[in-house]
Amino acid sequence: MPKKNILIAGLGLIGGSLARAIKSGHPDYHVSAYNRSQAPRDFAIQERLVDEVSDNFADLAVKADVIILNFPVQLSIKFLDFLSELSLKKNVLISDSGSTKFEIVTAAEEIFKGKAVRFIGGHPMAGSHKTGVIASSELLFENAYYILTPSRLSKAADFDELKNLLARTRAKFVELSAEEHDAMTAVTSHFPHVVAASLVDNTHDFAAIMPFTENLAAGGFRDMTRIAESSPDMWSEILMSNSEHIVHQIDRFNEKLNAVKRLISQKQSAEIWAFFDKARQLRSQMPIHKGAMENFYDLFISVPDKSGVIYEVLGYFAGHDLSIINIKINETRVELNGVLQLTFKTENDQATAERLIQEHSNYDVYK
């Protein structure tokens, strides 16, 4: 059986990570990469992510058995138009990694109607605060959901083929219709970005009246608005590509805010308590998915602001072979306690660490 020729179009964080995973899982496949800029191409060759690079998309595309587009949705659609003009291999399989699916699936069905081309929409739901191919990792997608969306150009066997190609990503593949994908991601991703940006904008506006306001924006505000620092280019396009579902969520949210507003205005303390309690319970029951760190166990330790306190706490664990995934300091201020956050691989390690801290110190420990 001849080895396959795989084209990764776009060598950013996602494209580079896909290239690594495919090459690792299928070392006999020929993996090529298109990228307009020279530096990512050079890096990909030097690090042996791929076997071939070029800034000539057409030259690579006509040789490919599988093409994965890693661009914003509108740009990917332009590449689909361009592909339709080329003499592609018969039954070439095309996919993408964009954040919305209905628009590109619909475009692909129209562009390739009557052609020997297969198309499956893709969305690996993973990312990093780092960017570019230099930050790419084979482990980026591990345990993350990888959404695959069918089209009139795809069959069940095509999904098996694509999953096999991407097996080394160790992602959790989920098949959804394009409509389902866009509706769900509007709720869990796209609309929350609108809320986060609005909170920042609202606080900034209020600070024009009371300038010290922004100094009081502490942990809760920080956590709720972290995603407001995301790329405006990317998020403006996502909102335009999924506008109907996002507008629907804004309308629903306004209804909920108005309901809470009425409770506050009417001093309905019991109902307000029930509102928060319901949200607390629902949040605790949600299977919040965290990609490669899906199953993890946190401890929060109130520690004094003094030199060596992290080493002190970690010293309590000596000889106990605990697996610590992450260490983070929250809310540290001079002469006040901060919060040391330790993330453990297993629940047993978390329990052992909690016991050891309580045995060796008077620090308050929370889960």
Side-chain angles (χ1 to χ4, degrees):
M1 183 177 180
K3 64 180 182 180
K4 289 186 177 179
N5 192 315
I6 313 299
L7 170 56
I8 301 296
L11 275 174
L13 174 68
I14 299 297
S17 297
L18 287 174
R20 287 182 185 274
I22 293 170
K23 196 61 185 172
S24 174
H26 304 276
D28 56 323
Y29 286 9
H30 182 87
V31 180
S32 62
Y34 161 80
N35 202 80
R36 188 175 60 181
S37 301
Q38 180 72 39
R41 299 200 306 269
D42 291 343
F43 179 86
I45 287 293
Q46 291 166 7
E47 296 295 314
R48 298 182 180 177
L49 273 67
V50 297
D51 303 295
E52 179 183 6
V53 294
S54 177
D55 61 353
N56 190 317
F57 180 69
D59 283 353
L60 298 178
V62 295
K63 299 183 292 184
D65 299 290
V66 179
I67 301 171
I68 303 179
L69 304 174
N70 303 286
F71 306 114
V73 172
Q74 288 300 318
L75 182 55
S76 286
I77 292 174
K78 291 181 180 179
F79 271 86
L80 292 181
D81 276 322
F82 182 64
L83 285 169
S84 71
E85 300 172 358
L86 301 178
S87 297
L88 301 175
K89 282 188 176 182
K90 184 178 180 180
N91 293 323
V92 61
L93 176 58
I94 303 174
S95 188
D96 78 308
S97 61
S99 297
T100 63
K101 296 273 70 80
F102 184 79
E103 195 170 22
I104 193 166
V105 167
T106 302
E109 290 174 339
E110 181 62 28
I111 291 169
F112 296 114
K113 183 167 55 178
K115 296 179 181 290
V117 171
R118 299 172 293 162
F119 183 85
I120 296 175
H123 182 194
M125 301 190 70
S128 170
H129 65 284
K130 299 178 182 179
T131 60
V133 68
I134 195 171
S136 62
S137 169
E138 180 185 332
L139 299 177
L140 180 67
F141 311 107
E142 185 173 1
N143 288 329
Y145 287 123
Y146 198 124
I147 311 301
L148 299 176
T149 59
S151 73
R152 292 198 296 269
L153 305 171
S154 63
K155 298 179 180 179
D158 302 328
F159 283 84
D160 294 337
E161 180 181 340
L162 187 56
K163 289 176 185 178
N164 176 264
L165 176 68
L166 301 172
R168 192 55 70 91
T169 64
R170 300 179 179 88
K172 296 182 176 181
F173 295 105
V174 177
E175 295 180 25
L176 297 173
S177 72
E179 183 75 17
E180 289 172 331
H181 170 277
D182 288 2
M184 293 181 193
T185 53
V187 175
T188 60
S189 177
H190 307 166
F191 171 66
H193 275 79
V194 175
V195 173
S198 298
L199 285 171
V200 172
D201 191 53
N202 183 64
T203 303
H204 178 73
D205 288 348
F206 192 79
I209 304 171
M210 297 185 177
F212 197 69
T213 299
E214 292 178 347
N215 297 83
L216 302 181
F221 185 87
R222 179 199 61 213
D223 292 343
M224 291 179 67
T225 59
R226 175 184 57 82
I227 56 177
E229 295 185 5
S230 301
S231 165
D233 291 333
M234 178 178 74
W235 281 100
S236 59
E237 178 173 284
I238 288 174
L239 264 59
M240 293 300 96
S241 182
N242 200 21
S243 58
E244 182 177 346
H245 289 295
I246 296 170
V247 168
H248 177 64
Q249 290 307 317
I250 291 173
D251 289 340
R252 283 173 53 86
F253 195 70
N254 281 337
E255 292 173 5
K256 292 183 181 296
L257 284 181
N258 285 330
V260 177
K261 178 182 176 181
R262 286 192 294 272
L263 294 178
I264 297 171
S265 299
Q266 297 167 7
K267 308 292 185 182
Q268 300 291 324
S269 59
E271 287 79 1
I272 293 171
W273 184 91
F275 166 75
F276 283 112
D277 187 57
K278 177 183 177 182
R280 179 184 62 83
Q281 293 187 43
L282 290 174
R283 176 62 172 75
S284 68
Q285 296 166 8
M286 279 184 168
I288 301 297
H289 194 79
K290 298 185 181 291
M293 297 173 62
E294 178 188 9
N295 298 313
F296 67 93
Y297 302 88
D298 285 328
L299 279 184
F300 299 89
I301 306 103
S302 179
V303 294
D305 177 32
K306 67 177 185 180
S307 177
V309 69
I310 297 177
Y311 295 102
E312 174 193 338
V313 172
L314 296 180
Y316 303 154
F317 308 152
H320 290 272
D321 195 27
L322 303 184
S323 180
I324 301 176
I325 295 175
N326 193 36
I327 300 173
K328 183 180 180 182
I329 289 286
N330 301 311
E331 300 301 311
T332 53
R333 287 169 286 176
V334 177
E335 298 180 355
L336 292 175
N337 278 11
V339 177
L340 173 62
Q341 178 181 346
L342 302 178
T343 304
F344 296 89
K345 181 77 171 179
T346 69
E347 189 173 13
N348 184 63
D349 284 355
Q350 179 199 45
T352 301
E354 181 180 21
R355 174 178 59 79
L356 291 170
I357 293 170
Q358 291 172 339
E359 288 177 357
H360 291 88
S361 75
N362 295 319
Y363 299 152
D364 292 327
V365 184
Y366 309 92
K367 293 182 181 178

